[in-house]
Amino acid sequence: MTNTTSRRSFMQKTAIATTGLAFLSPSIVSAFTNNCPYEGYNPYADTKTDFRTVTLGEHVRVKGTIYNKKSLIPIADATVEVWHLSPNSTKFRHRGKLKTNEDGTYNFITDLPNKENAKMRRIYFKVSHKNTSYFTELLLVPITSSAYITSKHWEENQELGEKVLPVSKKLLNTTTINFNVSI
């Protein structure tokens, strides 16, 4: 007589093995171990350039160029991921992903972000090209229609010279900001 495994034992072992594979899958592991220094990042954001949900509210248009850190040549086809707090909310529902064009430029429009407690309004960025990724943030002051960078962004992008500082202007309900990054 041969020794056979019972159906119940087989099902238990199969369930355990399947669960183990699911938890060790690279896509699952990367979803829980991303190295983002900012809250609210979602690697599965939709590809889009218009994040607006409010028609008549305050809007922010951000455009700029992604440069190679060493050569200062604009990078075509770099991925720019963007997210921020939704207006009048504590949730990061405004997010998207876009690519730079052949000139290395990007452009998107969004609603004015909500403000976190004791912080300025911010838009977060993850810029990627080939195997390099860079996280940064853009700070906003809607009353003066001004945009600022952090000291970290200043230190890590000084090779851009005058292009490192954001330039903003307001027309009606839209503030346009030029924000450049090097990776």
Side-chain angles (χ1 to χ4, degrees), residues 3 11-12 31 34 54 67 91 100 114-115 138 166 172 183:
N3 189 6
M11 294 301 285
Q12 286 176 339
N34 69 48
V54 179
Y67 292 96
K91 299 193 188 278
T100 58
N114 197 16
K115 186 178 123 166
L138 179 65
L172 301 175
I183 63 169

Side-chain angles (χ1 to χ4, degrees), residues 24-80:
L24 296 177
S25 166
S27 61
I28 300 295
V29 171
S30 67
F32 293 109
T33 60
N34 69 48
N35 295 324
C36 179
Y38 306 116
E39 185 182 355
Y41 174 66
N42 180 354
Y44 305 107
D46 293 333
T47 301
K48 59 184 177 179
T49 59
D50 190 345
F51 310 150
R52 294 178 292 181
T53 58
V54 179
T55 307
L56 299 174
E58 290 288 315
H59 299 127
V60 179
R61 178 178 298 282
V62 181
K63 58 184 182 174
T65 305
I66 307 301
Y67 292 96
N68 179 297
K69 192 176 227 29
K70 294 177 184 169
S71 66
L72 295 181
I73 295 173
I75 299 174
D77 206 37
T79 302
V80 180

